[in-house]
Amino acid sequence: MIDPLGCMPRDMTNTLKSPTQTIAVNAGAAEIAARCLKAGGLVAFPTETVYGLGADASNAEAVARLYRAKGRPSFNPLIAHVENLESASRIAELDVTARRLADAFWPGPLTLVLPRAPRCQVADLATAGLNTIAVRVPAHPVARDILRAFGGPVVAPSANLSGHVSPTTAAHVDGDLSGRIDLIVDGGPVTVGVESTIIGCFDTPVLLRPGGIPREDIERLLGRKLRAMPSEATPEGAAPLAPGMLTSHYAPHTPVRLAANTLRPGEALLAFGPDLLTGANPDTTLNLSERGDLVEAAARLFSYLRALDAKGATTIAVMPVPDHGLGEAINDRLHRAAAPYDAQQ
Ligand code: TXA
Ligand code: MG
């Protein structure tokens, strides 16, 4: 477990061996939380909507650990929480509509899905490899103090086990996640209690998830109706994107061949584990994890797929990845990446 003065994150192999420490809001709480986040730790904190489980958005391994702590079956993209509009514009591009929404509702329970800024440092894993990013400026004073002390974007899904009801008190968080995360900051019960409203700032603004800000307030401000959200909702109650769009984003341009046990001429290799396939060329091989660590592999997955896609290979051959723990989500994404090409194999 992380020591509150901030050294190493909780070793997840010790999951459930010791309870997570809860600290009350006091003069030093935000600095302790920020130190823990900087060290790659997982910190639950109150926002006005629900308690969030925060991780350093630019640290792919911390993000991978966050997915594992929640027991998320898949890498649903996460919301990047920032301190203000200026910090938001460092990671995302806000057009006129987005700025109007931000001016009116930030800080507050509104999340905007926006194009990623070219200099955005948020890990690909946190955005599930999409070219868009969900951004929100929370209004809760504790969340704001932590973001200010940390000084960068913090990704934070609701601080519950996947499939459970979202937490509105520190005790809920403790019940779900004690022993799986590094720190809980107890700021009392939250005020909003439902998650933020998510608006996709596309050509026409789309309501992706109803939430803390009523649709009518947004439509009144914009003077137009929001497009309805895509019909297929995710189990989390949100529709991240039309499923077709999402699938195509996961797919590299280069065909992907799964469960490769041999390497064919002209193929790049996405390896896993200590033993490479015979004939692997160092220039066109990337290893998700030499030591077979699924957290490390998850953290690298999207960036490595992109890097191999740029090699001009005939195919990206992917070695088998175990299907347990984060491996299930890794394989889910790999299957999506391979889906458009399955018919050709
Ligand atoms: O109120 C909230 O929004 C809370 C607090 C902690 O801030 N957070 C929250 O996060 O509800 P989460 O991870 O439970 O829900 C985030 C939703 C997911 O349904 C995800 O699909 C969607 O945001 N999302 C994130 N990035 C997206 C993107 N680039 N495009 C479309 N949807 C996205
Ligand atoms: Mg949630």
Side-chain angles (χ1 to χ4, degrees):
M1 173 175 176
I2 204 160
D3 127 22
L5 294 179
C7 19
M8 291 298 291
R10 172 180 289 267
D11 176 355
M12 293 301 293
T13 54
N14 289 334
T15 291
L16 300 177
K17 282 197 185 146
S18 53
T20 298
Q21 191 182 346
T22 297
I23 56 171
V25 172
N26 58 38
E31 284 69 28
I32 292 170
R35 256 200 309 269
C36 191
L37 290 167
K38 284 221 165 77
L42 304 179
V43 179
F45 60 88
T47 80
E48 71 278 25
T49 57
V50 298
Y51 271 73
L53 178 58
D56 176 355
S58 64
N59 179 341
E61 285 213 25
V63 175
R65 234 178 275 118
L66 187 154
Y67 282 113
R68 182 161 70 177
K70 271 187 66 94
R72 269 207 175 171
S74 66
F75 300 140
N76 225 357
L78 302 172
I79 299 171
H81 295 65
V82 292
E83 196 192 334
N84 51 34
L85 182 60
E86 194 193 329
S87 327
S89 54
R90 273 188 220 118
I91 58 171
E93 289 176 346
L94 289 92
D95 65 8
V96 176
T97 306
R99 276 179 195 277
R100 284 181 74 189
L101 290 168
D103 284 345
F105 298 113
W106 280 354
L110 177 72
T111 294
L112 299 178
V113 172
L114 302 161
R116 258 180 95 109
R119 58 183 170 154
C120 176
Q121 295 295 312
V122 171
D124 281 340
L125 179 61
T127 53
L130 297 168
N131 294 324
T132 53
I133 183 164
V135 186
R136 145 165 145 80
V137 178
H140 196 292
V142 175
R144 294 176 67 71
D145 284 349
I146 292 172
L147 290 170
R148 200 172 305 121
F150 179 68
V154 171
V155 282
S158 48
N160 51 280
L161 282 175
S162 186
H164 283 194
V165 175
S166 292
T168 55
T169 66
H172 293 164
V173 179
D174 188 71
D176 260 22
L177 297 175
S178 184
R180 302 173 73 93
I181 65 175
D182 299 296
L183 185 68
I184 301 171
V185 180
D186 186 353
V190 302
T191 49
V192 176
V194 294
E195 290 94 341
S196 59
T197 302
I198 305 182
I199 302 294
C201 295
F202 309 133
D203 293 340
T204 339
V206 182
L207 179 66
L208 293 172
R209 178 176 76 180
I213 297 203
R215 164 207 284 275
E216 296 76 9
D217 292 5
I218 296 166
E219 292 183 335
R220 200 174 311 118
L221 177 87
L222 295 180
R224 66 197 293 183
K225 293 268 174 217
L226 292 170
R227 236 168 68 204
M229 68 179 138
S231 55
E232 277 156 87
T234 66
E236 294 262 321
L241 281 175
M245 273 171 77
L246 203 52
T247 307
S248 74
H249 273 288
Y250 289 123
H253 300 295
T254 316
V256 173
R257 187 167 69 85
L258 299 180
N261 293 314
T262 56
L263 202 55
R264 300 172 188 164
E267 286 189 331
L269 177 63
L270 186 61
F272 181 83
D275 305 313
L276 295 182
L277 299 182
T278 311
N281 173 348
D283 292 340
T284 52
T285 298
L286 287 172
N287 197 332
L288 287 172
S289 175
E290 292 79 0
R291 53 195 161 100
D293 177 348
L294 291 167
V295 173
E296 183 173 59
R300 292 174 169 173
L301 178 65
F302 289 114
S303 355
Y304 279 14
L305 273 176
R306 279 171 190 235
L308 290 180
D309 199 19
K311 296 284 183 194
T314 54
T315 304
I316 301 170
V318 184
M319 287 172 65
V321 175
D323 208 31
H324 58 81
L326 281 185
E328 195 180 342
I330 293 169
N331 283 319
D332 173 73
R333 291 302 174 271
L334 285 171
H335 280 289
R336 285 171 197 266
Y341 309 108
D342 274 352
Q344 301 164 20
Q345 290 178 32

